[in-house]
Amino acid sequence: MLVALLAIAIGATILSGLVTIYYDVPRQMGAQFRNYGANMLLMPASADADFNEEAIEQAKSAVNKDLLVGAAPYRYESVTINDQPVIAAATNMDGAKAASPYWYVNGAWPTQNGEAMVGKSLAAVLGVKEGGTVSVIYKEEDAKEDDKGKTADFTVTGILETGGTEEDYIFISLEDMSALTGFGGRLDVAELSISASKDELQAIADKISTVSPAVSARLVKRVTQSETTVLTKLQALVFLVTSVVLLLTMICVATTMMAVVAERRKEIGLRKALGASNAGIIGEFMGEGLLLGGFGGLLGAGFGFAFAQAVSMNVFNSSISFRFIILPLTVLVSVAVTGLACLLPVRSATDVDPALVLKGE
Amino acid sequence: MSLLELKNISKIYGDLKALDDVSFKVEKGDWVAIMGPSGSGKSTMMNIVGCMDKPSLGQVLLDGADISKESDKSLTNIRRDKIGLIFQQFHLVNYLTAVENVMVSQYYHSMPDEKEALAALERVGLKDRAKHLPSQLSGGEQQRVCIARALINYPEIVLADEPTGNLDEANENIVIDIFKQLHREGTTLIVVTHDPEVAEVAQRTLVLEHGRLAKEIVNPNFKD
């Protein structure tokens, strides 16, 4: 019986632990995925839409503050540096830092106007280093050839490494871009990093389009899809492992109960000879089994939480909150698994013929 | 009307007739011994009378009611309510004390009552051993616990299978004395035995041979 209890407790521990992780993985993985950048893009709903910072703020109001990891508006302009055509990206540096935490800056992020961050490839071309200065020249597209354009000097605070096209850009503040180009506040795009599942993101995107008509919200499919794929696979794995463990628990309990029935064959025969009905025998063995299941489930729920906590701390480096629903769920599943496992042994207990057993056969 | 009547009972297993057209009656308060060599059908007879098996042919009338065609469930109920079983190997539950072993029988019959169970143990002279486990009791004491368990629900018939088979002479005499006492109190006793000394103290002896009732001997020396 101790073996059966141990088997149930272990099974319940895995069940409780994995279900806790199963529920918590989307949150944990979501947070991890947010390290890989924005998962929603805000763009002008139309060519003449008033897509400015005010519209972005309006759109952000449709997102739960707790879910919004970062938001970075962007305005891109073609400029020249050392006669090289370059893309200048103006953004809110704090927003960009939060929305793209995977960006690696050799040096520091710009903290004030007049400071810039240069992409690694561009820095190599320009021969610029951290602490250097670059002169950025902006000329309107329809400017005359002899128009020298407007020039602004920036101190390079850091060199940006992203592994992407950003390494070809120079990053400056929106205020500096406005002073240089006079773009009038109209933005090109805004990147949002939101901690939510694909479906939740879609719901948020729909809501944004409603509250901010100038904004068209789109999911970054590359990110959301891979997030969904990984989560689905992880959850399927958890489900599979839990199922296998429960199956093994069931087999172990069934085997143990079979051994118990075989061991107590004479006692069962005696009880039947003394007038125990089959229902009585079923009740006694099922009662024992279910009690065992309940107790094992209770133990497993406790150990499972500790197990999930240890996994979470080691894998995600964050703690898991206790979900009360998992306690009755674990006990119920343990009782059900034990009940199922007891069916065959109990059936064999009712098959015991008192006459044969009492004759010592 | 007899308490128990077997009418032309046969038990057939394939080609083997374990019992072949056996008939006899047992009146209330009778003390009957059933004797016979191995393979004579004693055990089959015990199983049928003890409601643990059904005959292939014939009728078993208990209190005038034919129980030979009853379902297993009904036979269990009849066994529980009307039959007290005493076994050669005692069959006590080894993790229960003597009094708890007696109470097991009450549990399936009505309601466990420790006082009543202690009274039953007192009846067989074992009240002071009530809290002992079977392993702490001698063979004779275990058999007396078994007898107390058989008596606790006041059965109409006490059916004993080789009750002295595992006992020494001293304990055999104790058990026989208890049977005599039970008989005086009006208990109906059916004792299956191969021991002539145990059979001799009964009112009459039914001798089985090859599944047939070979003879019925009325004990001329029987003393009430």
Side-chain angles (χ1 to χ4, degrees):
Chain A
M1 279 297 193
L2 195 67
V3 176
L5 179 66
L6 203 65
I8 297 162
I10 291 171
T13 299
I14 303 292
L15 169 74
S16 160
L18 289 185
V19 169
T20 304
I21 293 167
Y22 180 92
Y23 276 120
D24 213 60
V25 151
R27 185 180 70 81
Q28 301 272 18
M29 289 297 293
Q32 294 290 318
F33 267 100
R34 297 291 42 82
N35 291 330
Y36 298 104
N39 51 4
M40 186 181 287
L41 290 182
L42 303 185
M43 301 173 89
S46 60
D48 54 351
D50 219 2
F51 189 68
N52 50 25
E53 281 200 85
E54 197 183 326
I56 304 293
E57 285 304 317
Q58 203 176 14
K60 277 163 66 179
S61 69
V63 186
N64 184 331
K65 278 183 185 171
D66 294 336
L67 301 180
L68 186 63
V69 178
Y74 286 96
R75 168 77 186 190
Y76 299 100
E77 289 291 353
S78 293
V79 295
T80 53
I81 304 173
N82 296 351
D83 295 331
Q84 297 276 340
V86 172
I87 301 283
T91 187
N92 172 335
M93 296 298 169
D94 289 337
K97 200 172 177 179
S100 303
Y102 68 97
W103 284 8
Y104 174 71
V105 179
N106 205 344
W109 284 73
T111 51
Q112 56 191 1
N113 293 339
E115 290 182 344
M117 181 165 67
V118 180
K120 189 182 167 189
S121 306
L122 179 62
V125 171
L126 298 175
V128 182
K129 288 184 179 168
E130 179 197 344
T133 307
V134 287
S135 289
V136 178
I137 300 167
Y138 172 74
K139 244 176 19 175
E140 287 185 16
E141 279 178 21
D142 51 357
K144 292 175 183 172
E145 280 209 13
D146 56 348
D147 185 355
K148 289 185 179 172
K150 205 168 178 183
T151 303
D153 290 338
F154 293 92
T155 305
V156 178
T157 58
I159 307 298
L160 176 67
E161 291 181 37
T162 67
T165 53
E166 297 88 355
E167 292 190 2
D168 296 322
Y169 301 168
I170 178 169
F171 289 83
I172 58 175
S173 70
L174 286 164
E175 291 82 2
D176 283 338
M177 180 69 95
S178 181
L180 183 67
T181 65
F183 70 89
R186 187 181 157 84
L187 300 165
D188 292 317
V189 69
E191 291 181 359
L192 263 56
S193 177
I194 303 169
S195 186
S197 68
K198 189 183 173 187
D199 292 340
E200 288 166 342
L201 276 177
Q202 190 55 58
I204 291 169
D206 294 342
K207 194 176 170 189
I208 287 173
S209 300
T210 310
V211 299
S212 187
V215 176
S216 164
R218 296 176 195 175
L219 308 192
V220 179
K221 284 191 176 167
R222 183 172 50 84
V223 175
T224 53
Q225 269 181 352
S226 58
E227 187 173 337
T228 305
T229 306
V230 170
L231 284 178
T232 307
K233 281 182 180 172
L234 257 175
Q235 289 180 332
L237 186 71
V238 165
F239 181 74
L240 190 72
V241 171
T242 308
S243 303
V244 169
V245 168
L246 287 180
L247 188 69
L248 290 175
T249 302
M250 199 156 81
I251 292 169
C252 186
V253 173
T255 312
T256 309
M257 290 303 278
M258 279 300 251
V260 168
V261 168
E263 199 178 292
R264 289 169 61 182
R265 226 171 113 78
K266 279 198 173 179
E267 187 192 323
I268 296 164
L270 171 73
R271 288 177 186 273
K272 290 181 86 169
L274 294 178
S277 61
N278 279 341
I281 297 287
I282 290 171
E284 280 179 42
F285 274 88
M286 269 294 182
E288 274 183 40
L290 297 184
L291 203 68
L292 213 63
F295 189 56
L298 214 56
L299 277 179
F303 286 130
F305 179 67
F307 166 68
Q309 192 71 273
V311 169
S312 182
M313 288 305 288
N314 281 299
V315 178
F316 300 111
N317 205 24
S318 74
S319 64
I320 282 179
S321 53
F322 182 75
R323 284 172 183 267
F324 180 75
I325 184 73
I326 290 176
L327 177 69
L329 180 81
T330 307
V331 172
L332 272 178
V333 173
S334 299
V335 166
V337 165
T338 316
L340 273 175
C342 283
L343 283 181
L344 210 63
V346 165
R347 172 70 200 270
S348 86
T350 60
D351 285 344
V352 173
D353 179 354
L356 292 177
V357 169
L358 296 178
K359 275 290 165 192
E361 289 175 31
Chain B
M1 183 178 65
S2 301
L3 175 60
L4 176 71
E5 182 175 2
L6 274 70
K7 283 185 175 174
N8 310 107
I9 288 298
S10 292
K11 183 69 184 180
I12 304 162
Y13 299 103
D15 294 334
L16 176 74
K17 275 191 171 179
L19 284 178
D20 186 6
D21 199 26
V22 174
S23 298
F24 66 85
K25 288 181 183 178
V26 176
E27 304 298 335
K28 190 170 172 50
D30 274 3
W31 181 355
V32 178
I34 298 174
M35 279 195 78
S38 293
S40 61
K42 293 196 304 287
S43 297
T44 309
M45 175 72 79
M46 161 135 183
N47 289 342
I48 290 173
V49 174
C51 298
M52 289 183 276
D53 202 354
K54 286 184 265 193
S56 307
L57 297 168
Q59 283 185 310
V60 180
L61 303 174
L62 183 61
D63 275 337
D66 185 4
I67 61 167
S68 54
K69 303 285 187 292
E70 292 287 350
S71 66
D72 288 349
K73 192 177 174 184
S74 296
L75 286 178
T76 299
N77 292 339
I78 294 166
R79 187 165 67 238
R80 185 187 62 207
D81 295 338
K82 298 190 173 182
I83 312 283
L85 292 165
I86 298 169
F87 312 106
Q88 180 181 1
Q89 288 157 334
F90 327 131
H91 292 304
L92 302 179
V93 180
N94 57 16
Y95 54 84
L96 299 179
T97 61
V99 71
E100 286 167 346
N101 264 287
V102 177
M103 286 159 70
V104 167
S105 198
Q106 287 178 308
Y107 172 74
Y108 293 116
H109 182 269
S110 46
M111 188 82 87
D113 181 340
E114 190 169 359
K115 271 188 188 169
E116 211 174 338
L118 285 170
L121 282 175
E122 191 171 18
R123 210 169 157 194
V124 296
L126 274 184
K127 194 179 180 186
D128 57 332
R129 310 285 276 166
K131 299 293 179 186
H132 287 70
L133 290 170
S135 58
Q136 297 167 316
L137 302 173
S138 70
E141 287 171 330
Q142 289 187 50
Q143 187 58 291
R144 281 146 72 191
V145 174
C146 183
I147 293 170
R149 184 178 62 192
L151 298 174
I152 188 70
N153 296 324
Y154 304 100
E156 291 187 16
I157 298 171
V158 170
L159 186 59
D161 178 30
E162 303 282 7
T164 58
N166 278 350
L167 303 182
D168 56 22
E169 197 178 340
N171 278 305
E172 181 177 312
N173 290 333
I174 291 171
V175 169
I176 287 173
D177 286 344
I178 292 170
F179 284 174
K180 283 178 179 171
Q181 174 65 29
L182 292 175
H183 176 68
R184 277 196 294 275
E185 290 168 6
T187 306
T188 306
L189 285 164
I190 299 175
V191 181
V192 177
T193 182
H194 66 271
D195 184 346
E197 285 184 31
V198 176
E200 274 171 15
V201 291
Q203 267 175 314
R204 59 196 168 104
T205 303
L206 306 172
V207 181
L208 289 174
E209 281 175 12
H210 305 297
R212 298 186 69 92
L213 186 57
K215 55 186 169 183
E216 182 172 347
I217 305 163
V218 177
N219 182 4
N221 302 320
F222 179 76
K223 282 184 265 180
D224 210 349

